[in-house]
Every structure is written in structure tokens, then in C-alpha cells.
Amino acid sequence: MTRQLLFGNHAFCEGAIAAGVRFYAGYPITPATEIAEFMSRRMFEVDGTYIQMEDELASLNAVMGASVTGVKSVTASAGPGMALIQNELGQAVVAEIPAVVINVGRAGPGIGNATRSGQMEVMQARYGPNGECPAVAISPATVEEAFWLTIKAVNLSETLRTVVIVLAEGLLGLQRAVVDLPDYSTIEQTERPRPTMPPSEYSGAYIANELTDVPPVADFGTGYKTILNTVGIQPRGGGDGSTQGGRLENQDFTIRRLHEKILSRKDEVIMTERHQTEDAEVVYIAFGTQAQSAYLAMQQARAKSVKAGMLRLITIWPFPEDAVRECCAKARLVVVPEMNLGQVRMLVVNALADTEAKVVGVNHVDSTYILPEEILAKTEEFLP
Amino acid sequence: MSADAKKNRPDPMTPLDDLIGQYADMPPGNFRYCPGCGLGMAQSALMRAFHRLDLDISQVASAGGSGCYAVMAHYFKSNHVHGSHGRACAVATGMKLANPELTVLTLQGDGDCLAIGGNHFIHAARRNIDITVICFNNFGFGDTGGQLAPTTPKGSVTETSPFGMPEEAFDPCKLAIGAGASFVARSTVAHPVHLTKTLAEAIAWKGFAFVEVLQHCHVLWGRRNGMPEAMDMLNFYREKSAFNTAAISEEECFGSPIYEPDGEQDINFVLGVLHKEQRPELGEELAKLRQRVKGDAS
Amino acid sequence: MAKRAYEISIDETLCRSCAVCWEICAPDVLGFQPPLNKAIVLTQTDCTGCRLCEWLCPDWAIVVRPLASEVAA
Amino acid sequence: MKSEIRIAGIGGQGLVSASVVLAEALGVVRDFQVVQTQFYASNITGGASCGDVVVADENITFPWVLEPDLLIALAQDAVDGHGAKMRPGTTVIADDIMVTNLSLFGEDVTVHWAPLTRTADEVGSRRCANIVALGALSQLTGLLDLAQVSKAVASRAPGKPETNRRAVEAGYALQLTPAEGRAA
């Protein structure tokens, strides 16, 4: 264990390296720039490869290129960069190429407010790319978690053969905290499923019989013929894959499988943190750095004898609907503080459609963090 | 070359079906090209180039995007990423850097490589990463139905230039040289032996190699411009092409073609290796850097 | 002077009648068969072994193989 | 124990760097829990800017400085920007030439005028006023001794080690007393 003052953006990098990432391609963009800066040094130290590409599109494509050779790969971006790479995100998800994308959220549409923070890409992480594209998104709250969740992200991307987005914020990327870093040799690393049969019997990277299958994929250059195809209509039982505009039942199977392979592993993928939700009549549901305000608000509400509880969403996608329902079983009021105009609130409303609970939001889009007092004020305003 | 090496060199006249067994992965029916398409011819030449170099096909990795050519890699036993439109150079850069042992190609169309993917193309050339970019130039977008591309000759008729292409065209080779490609060559499907040799030389080249393959689309471009049959276009390439020799000046090698079906025509292609320059290759430079950083650390 | 002989085989299921082979064949070894206009071999003995048909057939339907025995000119 | 410390001024004064050094000293050299954050306009010189440190001896649940109990003001902008948000009992170390007007502060704020910039000039570079301030802060609060703060300066601000060493020592040697007419 080494104790050090770790910068949030560097924590993502250290987590990635601890998880076995040896390729980084990126393009500088505030507030994620320090990730590229740090990786340009660290990747050489760990015998990996760093390359600064010509744009974010190229970065994610280079990451895909590196990943298909079996090298765990990461890129990072923010705001406009994330908007730009949506197509490639969809490509990587449907081609089932493991990759991790760190989104250090900045504020505002367009160029936005580069040095400031936001949580405005919740829906984008799931609905940004075309064509029902189920990337996994997880959201750290502290610098220490930025380290551990990046490891988790890399491992999930490998076992699920998908893209995992680390949905962070400028507020987290640009803070430093004291973290005890473990010895990296003790970190558990997982690998994508690889074929065990000889090359002559291997008939492609998408041979799945069940909707829950994560098919094995051979790394390029290992003697197998591997075609990674983003056409979105992977053949079910092999075939040459060259039939673009292929069979509709394959399309149906592929898209459903992309979702089902993740949803069927909920226990592994969905992470939440609950505080005093058992008897809670008021539940605060928050994610990322704003969960810290929600936690304080819960403590202060309890001090005023309000039966408050708090649910932190660590996994955002797939959305932890079951956890929301469980935690809000007795809730009369649900408050969702977030640094956008109510993206998670919408999901909570949807999850609680069958209940009586009133769902309200505390929303900042001025890049300032939400104060516990604001959450309490909202509680008092709406508590029946 | 020693006598032994010469003897062991693959026979360039090996019949097609012998090559197919070694390199190709045939579809159940026909290739997914139009009858007479130049892509089938170019694909032949590419396979013969693999054979000429005696490549281990499982160590060949390619990247491509959208276009008529996109299915080509499926017909080989090599590895392939069928990625997003135009980004093949970036994918290939990632592959080569992550596994320098691979022979990395990009198979791209002219629209894919030079329109949507132009940025990635020039930057890959600038980096001199050891990949081979093979650009199948058919003067337009084929897969979407024959719209104009950056390589469409000025004046020629396409689906989106019904009154003649108003813009000037790129000379892909000149662009590649300007961007810093260390090997630039041009050939056509009407010159199959030359094409095979050129592709082989490009793949063997250490550094960024670019080959412009003039590959006809008689169905979409040819038909609208007075050359409705595959053979018309092959003859057109044969007439308009000259091999690069000392007699040809550098200016004559490049140009922005003009082709009005019934009017002004200024369209000539100089085939052959147009540029060759030894430059440090990115992968090797990074390896050196890695050594240096480790040396400093210890 | 000995002249090599060649065997030309055409897979008619692959041929899609694009006409490149018989138009490019200088000694008119190849022709086509109506009504589907698939390529056929007319006069195999005239084949000079230039292999343009094989190299240019976009459907990989033609294979030109030198015959083992040499025949007299 | 929980303390919220803000080092404020204008971009280019090394405010973020100073907060990082302070966080290193408190979190790594000593064993506190620490979170450091910052606000700045962009990577340019000039404009209001600050570096914040929250230090506690238990887990920090809320990482941001809302109302600092300790403010180092290296420029008038810092006072104008944060003066109204001071809570009673806050301690302020104000640069005696860069800060001119404290009328925004309430009477219950303890102000120490300190010759931070002038001391930095004497050490040899006005740019090390931030380091001088860290020395002064350590001495005033007793959170860090000279060796501890010097160690953090050496590891987090490795450029010009000699100047920085003299700056931190000179800052530590400053004898600060509360200004007249304000709560002590």
C-alpha cells in the first residue's frame, strides 16, 4: 500500500493500469486533459502504448484497433468529444470489442463551460449512439472510487465484451484526495472469453446460441480468422458475415442478445449504495459527486426526525430499477439531486410508476454542486 | 538474391484455385459485387500480392469501413475489423501499435478514405505508421448509389452532380505525399500484374504505404459517363495510363482530372511508384522511446 | 520450338456474364454461350497462357492451368 | 477536527499549487484525510482563482469548501470574491500590499496582515509568495511544523528547491498578530 495525494484524473489512469490496460489513445479536452497528460508518461513506464490521435473519433477507433489484438485499451473525453464519438461507441458495442471510455463531464451544450462540471450525459450514455446500444455506465463519487471503479470498468468490459463508460464529472476529475493505493499485483484482472477450440473449428466471434451468451473471440494474430463486424446483424451460428442487410431474425437476436448478456449478469454489473432506506419515507437518490450532498442531507434530515434514506446509484446503465423500487418501498417523497435538468429523475419516475411516491428534483446546471440545505428545503417543500 | 531463395519464391503464375485454398474464404455464392466489378479484380491482385510475399495470412489484419469494398476482407482468411465509415486508418494505427508483429492493411474506398476519413488518412501518413492503405478509387460513392466523391473528375456526371461535377477532384497520391506518406503508388485493375507487384511492394514497405487502385464502376460512374460496360472502363484505363518512367516529369504524375462525357477531357494517370522515402517509422520510434524511458528509470 | 498447352476451366455457376474475359482474350480462345451469355472456351489450343482472363475475372470463375505434357507446336 | 482552507487570489499566483502542497503535507506527510479542489477560469494568468483544501481526521463526506474557516488572501480579488461568504470566527491571512480593502468582512473575522509578497521579494522571487503563505499558515495554525511543510514543498514543488526552502522558512518565521479592531 502506498499512501498518496492522488489527482482525480490520475486515479482513472492508475485504475486502468492496475486493471492491465496497456494502450491509451486520446485527444486533449478539458476537464479530461490530465488523463492524456498522465498516460503519455505512465504508458511508457508500464511498457504500454500512448498515442495522441487527431480527434476523439480516431482515439476510440485506435482503442478498438488495439483491443482486437487482445490489449486492454482506454480512452477519455468530455462534453463535445463524447458527443462526437457516439457513432464509434455504438460500433464498439455491437462489434463487441471491449473498451473503456472515461467521460469527465463538463457543463453545458456545445463547447459549454470547459473548466466547469456537469452530469448532463446520463441519457447520452445509453441513448447517444444509434440503434439501441446498451453500453454499461458506472459513476464514481470520490477519487478513491475513481481508481477502483475504473478497474471494475475494465474488468466488466472484458467479461461482457462491451463498452463501459465511466461517467465522471469535472468536479471529480479535478480534485485531489489522499488514497491508499494497493500493490497492483494483488488486483484481480479478468479477460474476455477466448476460443478453446483449434482454429479450424472456430467459426467466428459471434457464435451464440442463447441470448445470454458472451461468445468467445480470438485475438488478431493468434492463428484464428476473426472478423469483427459492426454491421449489427451478426450471424447466429457462424457463416461468413458478409451478407450486409442480412437476415432480420439475426438482427433481432443480435440486438436482444447485446442487452440480455448484460441484464442477465445484473448481480455483477449493478452496483448501488444504500443508507437507512429500510424505513425511509423520504429517499434521496443521487449519483456521482452529488451523492455526497445527498448523504449529508439525509443525516441532517434524520437529525430533524425525518425518516430519510439515501440511495446512491453507482451503476447508471443498466439502470438499477429494482434497487430504486426496493429503497422506495415506503417512500412518500423521493428527491433526486443532479447537475442536469432531471435525467435520472425521469428514470426514477419511470421505475416508481406503480407507487404513490412523489418524485422531485434538485437541479443545478450552473456547474455548482448541490448543497445539502437545498435538498432539505425541497424535502420540506414537498413532504406531505 | 541467392539461388535457393529464388527457387523458394512463390510462383507468380500459381493457378487461382490453389491460391484460394491458401488465402481465401469463399462465400456460398458469388461475391457481393456487381458483375464485372473492378473490386473482384483488385481482390485477385491482393491475394496474389499476399502470395508473392508468402505471407502468413493469420498474421494479416485489416480494417475497413463502409462501401462496396467492405465485404472484401470477409473473403480472405485474414483478421478484419469492419468498423465505422472512414476510420480505418485510426483502427489500423491502434492494431499496429498494439501488436507490431501484424501485417496491417486498410481496405478503403475513395469516399471512405478521402472524404469522411481524410483526417485520419493524412495523420496516419504524417506519423509514418507501418500500415498499408489501399484505396479503391472508383470516382464516386458506389454503395449508396453513385454520388460524387472527392475523386470524381470535374465535369463528370454522378447521381448528385447531374449537370457535371462542379468541384475539383483530389489527386489522392499527391495528397498522400503532401501528408508525408513514405511510399505512394498508383495502379489500375486493367494492369493486373502491375497492380499485384505494386501491392506487394507496398505491403512489404516499412512505414506508411499508400496505393491508389483505380477500380472501375461501370454500373454507376461509367454508365453515366459513356462507358456502360466493364470492358469500356478497362480500355479507358489502358488508354489513359502511362507507366512512371524517367521521361515523365514530376508535375505530369499528378493532376486533378477533368472528364466531361461529351466535352472537355483532361484525364491521365501515371502508374507506378510515385514517391519513396525512408523515414523513421512510428512503432520503432515508440519502441526506442520505451527503451529510453526504462533506461532512465533504472 | 515447344509451345505449352493450357487447360482453361470455367465455373459457370460463378460466371455472371460480364464479358471481360472474352473481350480481353487476344487469340479469341474464349467466347460466350447464349442465351445466358456465360463464358465458354472456344479454342483451347490457341491459348497463349497470358492468364489475363484468370487475373481479371471478378468472380474468380476462370482457372488457367498449364498442362503437364508439352505438345509440339 | 475538520477545517476548510482556501487559498485565493488571481490566476498565476500559484494558488492551486499551494493548495496541492498543503494537501500533500496534511494528507501524506501527516495522516489526515484530505480533499483538494480548485476553481479557475482557464489555463491563463489573471482572473479570480483559488485552491481549496478540506482536512479532517475522519472520512470527508463533503469535499468542497463552502465557508472556509481559514482564508489566505493573496489579492484583492480573493476578498471581493469570498469576503461575503465568511462565517464568524474565520481566520484570514491577508497580503499587506496586494489586499487593500477588507470592508466586506464582518467584524467577527480575524484578520492577520502578513507581508507575504514583500517577503517573497526578499527571498528572490515574487512568484514564491504562495510558498511563503504556506509557511505562515503552518506556523499560525500549528497544523504543520516547519519540517513537515518543507517536506511537502520539496516533493510537490521540486523546481527551484533552494528558493522554495528559503520561502517556506521565511514564511514560517513571520510573526502574525490579529489586526486591531477585529475579534481575536
Side-chain angles (χ1 to χ4, degrees):
Chain A
M1 298 270 258
T2 48
R3 186 179 172 85
Q4 57 174 279
L5 183 69
L6 192 59
F7 192 44
N9 275 337
H10 296 177
F12 297 120
C13 305
E14 289 297 339
I17 290 166
V21 167
R22 291 297 178 268
F23 185 90
Y24 181 92
Y27 185 80
I29 183 165
T30 306
T33 310
E34 290 83 1
I35 297 179
E37 289 174 352
F38 193 63
M39 282 300 206
S40 71
R41 178 172 292 277
R42 285 291 276 142
M43 271 297 136
F44 282 98
E45 291 170 1
V46 298
D47 254 349
T49 304
Y50 167 87
I51 185 161
Q52 181 171 319
M53 296 299 284
E54 52 273 16
D55 57 24
E56 289 89 350
L57 295 170
S59 304
L60 187 48
N61 276 296
V63 160
M64 285 159 69
S67 182
V68 299
T69 69
V71 177
K72 293 178 185 174
S73 309
V74 166
T75 185
S77 193
M82 283 304 293
L84 196 59
I85 62 172
Q86 289 306 312
N87 172 42
E88 333 303 303
L89 268 175
Q91 303 276 359
V93 169
V94 69
E96 304 189 75
I97 298 173
V100 171
V101 179
I102 299 161
N103 176 7
V104 188
R106 68 155 76 165
I111 296 291
N113 197 344
T115 59
R116 295 305 173 99
S117 190
Q119 295 182 319
M120 299 168 182
E121 284 94 35
V122 175
M123 288 297 175
Q124 185 199 55
R126 167 70 175 78
Y127 295 106
N130 56 310
E132 282 293 349
C133 185
V136 174
I138 55 181
S139 172
T142 63
V143 175
E144 185 169 15
E145 229 179 46
F147 174 79
W148 287 105
L149 282 186
T150 308
I151 296 173
K152 177 82 180 175
V154 174
N155 285 344
L156 277 181
S157 78
E158 288 283 321
T159 50
L160 296 172
R161 270 185 77 189
T162 191
V163 175
V164 179
I165 300 169
V166 179
L167 208 56
E169 299 143 52
L171 280 172
L172 177 61
L174 300 180
Q175 73 172 252
R176 288 176 182 81
V178 171
V179 174
D180 291 317
L181 287 184
D183 178 357
Y184 291 176
S185 62
T186 64
I187 302 284
E188 190 197 342
Q189 296 182 2
T190 59
E191 299 288 331
R192 65 195 73 175
R194 294 193 167 94
T196 47
M197 69 283 271
S200 55
E201 290 165 29
Y202 177 71
S203 47
Y206 302 104
I207 308 305
N209 296 315
E210 301 294 328
L211 283 172
T212 53
D213 283 359
V214 182
V217 56
D219 301 334
F220 282 19
T222 51
Y224 295 82
K225 170 181 168 168
T226 308
I227 301 253
L228 289 160
N229 200 335
T230 63
V231 174
I233 310 169
Q234 318 303 4
R236 186 170 176 169
D240 68 306
S242 62
T243 42
Q244 251 178 343
R247 294 160 62 181
L248 294 180
E249 68 262 30
N250 284 346
Q251 174 177 326
D252 182 88
F253 183 79
T254 300
I255 295 175
R256 287 181 196 280
R257 185 173 64 75
L258 290 175
H259 288 257
E260 211 50 49
K261 72 174 179 182
I262 295 168
L263 291 175
S264 63
R265 290 167 177 79
K266 270 185 182 172
D267 294 347
E268 197 187 331
V269 180
I270 293 189
M271 297 171 282
T272 57
E273 184 184 307
R274 303 167 194 210
H275 297 282
Q276 308 195 36
T277 51
E278 297 78 17
D279 63 340
E281 293 176 354
V282 177
V283 178
Y284 301 138
I285 299 180
F287 71 101
T289 55
Q290 302 313 301
Q292 294 164 318
S293 300
Y295 181 77
L296 278 190
M298 180 207 74
Q299 285 185 325
Q300 290 169 18
R302 284 270 167 184
K304 291 179 182 173
S305 328
V306 176
K307 282 186 180 169
M310 181 239 174
L311 168 67
R312 177 160 84 89
L313 309 174
I314 300 173
T315 303
I316 309 287
W317 296 110
F319 189 71
E321 285 188 8
D322 297 341
V324 170
R325 279 194 210 101
E326 282 163 33
C327 292
C328 299
K330 296 190 178 118
R332 289 185 289 147
L333 178 67
V334 178
V335 184
V336 185
E338 50 185 329
M339 292 171 75
N340 57 49
L341 291 179
Q343 300 188 18
V344 165
R345 185 176 75 225
M346 201 152 83
L347 297 164
V348 171
V349 167
N350 184 41
L352 298 179
D354 298 337
T355 70
E356 298 290 305
K358 185 168 183 59
V359 184
V360 297
V362 181
N363 306 97
H364 280 200
V365 285
D366 61 354
S367 303
T368 58
Y369 33 78
I370 296 161
L371 300 177
E373 292 78 44
E374 296 174 67
I375 300 173
L376 285 174
K378 207 65 159 183
T379 310
E380 279 158 22
E381 186 185 340
F382 282 96
L383 195 61
Chain B
M1 194 180 278
S2 71
D4 256 8
K6 242 179 195 163
K7 207 164 62 186
N8 292 335
R9 216 166 66 172
D11 174 14
M13 292 299 160
T14 307
L16 193 67
D17 44 2
D18 294 352
L19 297 178
I20 288 173
Q22 200 177 344
Y23 297 102
D25 194 358
M26 298 297 278
N30 276 104
F31 298 130
R32 204 185 65 91
Y33 310 128
C34 305
C37 178
L39 282 168
M41 305 173 185
Q43 182 180 313
S44 240
L46 184 58
M47 181 165 71
R48 287 175 194 278
F50 290 156
H51 177 64
R52 204 180 164 85
L53 296 169
D54 207 10
L55 284 181
D56 174 1
I57 192 76
S58 73
Q59 295 299 309
V60 176
S62 57
S66 302
C68 295
Y69 70 89
V71 290
M72 186 184 289
H74 292 272
Y75 304 143
F76 288 114
K77 287 199 174 100
S78 54
N79 303 283
H80 183 67
V81 177
H82 184 163
S84 50
H85 189 21
R87 321 292 172 197
C89 285
V91 176
T93 300
M95 291 198 290
K96 186 69 191 182
L97 290 179
N99 185 352
E101 304 296 312
L102 295 174
T103 300
V104 180
L105 320 172
T106 75
L107 305 175
Q108 300 187 272
D110 48 335
D112 191 75
C113 180
L114 303 170
I116 191 168
N119 195 23
H120 310 301
F121 170 65
I122 58 173
H123 285 280
R126 170 181 64 82
R127 292 188 182 103
N128 199 30
I129 174 99
D130 184 16
I131 62 176
T132 304
V133 174
I134 302 171
C135 175
F136 302 105
N137 181 1
N138 61 358
F139 300 151
F141 286 84
D143 213 17
T144 44
Q147 295 79 16
L148 68 86
T151 45
T152 303
K154 190 174 183 186
S156 68
V157 177
T158 72
E159 193 81 345
T160 47
S161 60
F163 312 113
M165 168 75 165
E167 304 165 20
E168 299 249 338
F170 265 141
D171 184 323
C173 291
K174 199 172 176 186
L175 178 70
I177 295 169
S182 56
F183 179 100
V184 176
R186 174 157 42 212
S187 189
T188 86
V189 291
H191 304 79
V193 179
H194 180 260
L195 177 59
T196 302
K197 284 182 179 169
T198 308
L199 287 173
E201 194 177 349
I203 293 168
W205 180 260
K206 184 89 189 157
F208 183 91
F210 174 73
V211 185
E212 180 192 3
V213 181
L214 290 161
Q215 161 260 316
H216 61 265
C217 177
H218 56 288
V219 177
L220 295 167
W221 191 85
R223 183 166 50 83
R224 292 194 180 90
N225 293 284
M227 290 177 272
E229 298 295 331
M231 204 54 219
D232 298 339
M233 293 240 27
L234 291 178
N235 286 334
F236 171 71
Y237 286 145
R238 285 167 145 194
E239 279 163 28
K240 301 292 181 185
S241 299
F243 290 106
N244 189 16
T245 57
I248 294 176
S249 73
E250 199 166 314
E251 295 90 78
E252 288 172 290
C253 289
F254 310 105
S256 183
I258 298 171
Y259 188 90
E260 289 172 23
D262 308 306
E264 189 191 353
Q265 292 183 9
D266 179 11
I267 185 163
N268 288 294
F269 309 107
V270 176
L271 311 184
V273 179
L274 303 178
H275 181 76
K276 236 201 264 198
E277 177 194 6
Q278 293 287 350
R279 279 174 54 214
E281 194 267 324
L282 178 66
E284 287 181 354
E285 291 298 297
L286 288 179
K288 274 189 222 160
L289 212 54
R290 225 172 270 134
Q291 279 302 322
R292 213 181 77 200
V293 172
K294 273 165 98 182
D296 286 356
S298 61
Chain C
M1 192 181 146
K3 179 175 177 279
R4 293 203 72 167
Y6 297 89
E7 179 195 36
I8 306 167
S9 50
I10 298 175
D11 185 334
E12 68 168 55
T13 59
L14 289 179
C15 174
R16 290 195 287 168
S17 323
C18 71
V20 167
C21 58
W22 68 77
E23 292 202 21
I24 207 133
C25 183
D28 286 335
V29 172
L30 298 175
F32 59 92
Q33 175 79 56
L36 289 177
N37 294 355
K38 299 223 175 197
I40 51 164
V41 182
L42 299 176
T43 49
Q44 185 149 313
T45 48
D46 287 350
C47 177
T48 59
C50 78
R51 292 179 175 84
L52 266 179
C53 55
E54 178 184 325
W55 286 46
L56 283 183
C57 174
D59 287 301
W60 293 11
I62 305 176
V63 178
V64 179
R65 231 173 234 291
L67 285 172
S69 61
E70 290 185 1
V71 291
Chain D
M1 186 280 277
K2 187 182 179 206
S3 182
E4 299 181 8
I5 304 166
R6 170 163 289 171
I7 306 170
I10 52 173
Q13 285 184 311
L15 309 160
V16 175
S17 312
S19 67
V20 173
V21 173
L22 184 61
E24 171 92 9
L26 293 168
V28 179
V29 180
R30 294 207 60 185
D31 227 8
F32 291 116
Q33 289 297 321
V34 166
V35 176
Q36 179 273 342
T37 53
Q38 63 234 300
F39 288 99
Y40 55 87
S42 77
N43 284 328
I44 52 163
T45 302
S49 166
C50 66
D52 292 348
V53 176
V54 177
V55 55
D57 46 16
E58 57 186 22
N59 248 354
I60 296 169
T61 46
F62 195 73
W64 293 292
V65 171
L66 297 175
E67 296 168 325
D69 46 36
L70 214 158
L71 173 74
I72 298 177
L74 279 167
Q76 184 64 35
D77 290 51
V79 180
D80 298 344
H82 306 293
K85 287 189 230 154
M86 293 293 141
R87 66 179 160 204
T90 301
T91 303
V92 176
I93 300 174
D95 191 281
D96 64 353
I97 58 169
M98 302 298 279
V99 180
T100 49
N101 182 353
L102 290 183
S103 57
L104 268 174
F105 286 137
E107 282 300 310
D108 43 12
V109 169
T110 310
V111 176
H112 300 264
W113 290 106
L116 304 174
T117 304
R118 287 192 287 137
T119 308
D121 285 345
E122 282 167 26
V123 168
S125 167
R126 185 166 280 207
R127 297 187 60 163
C128 63
N130 56 347
I131 305 293
V132 175
L134 289 182
L137 177 141
S138 306
Q139 196 270 337
L140 182 71
T141 59
L143 277 171
L144 298 159
D145 64 25
L146 181 59
Q148 287 165 336
V149 66
S150 300
K151 190 174 171 194
V153 169
S155 69
R156 281 279 167 173
K160 299 196 177 167
E162 186 52 27
T163 312
N164 283 341
R165 188 185 60 76
R166 281 190 288 137
V168 72
E169 282 170 5
Y172 201 83
L174 289 175
Q175 294 298 319
L176 303 184
T177 47
E180 292 288 316
R182 290 186 176 271

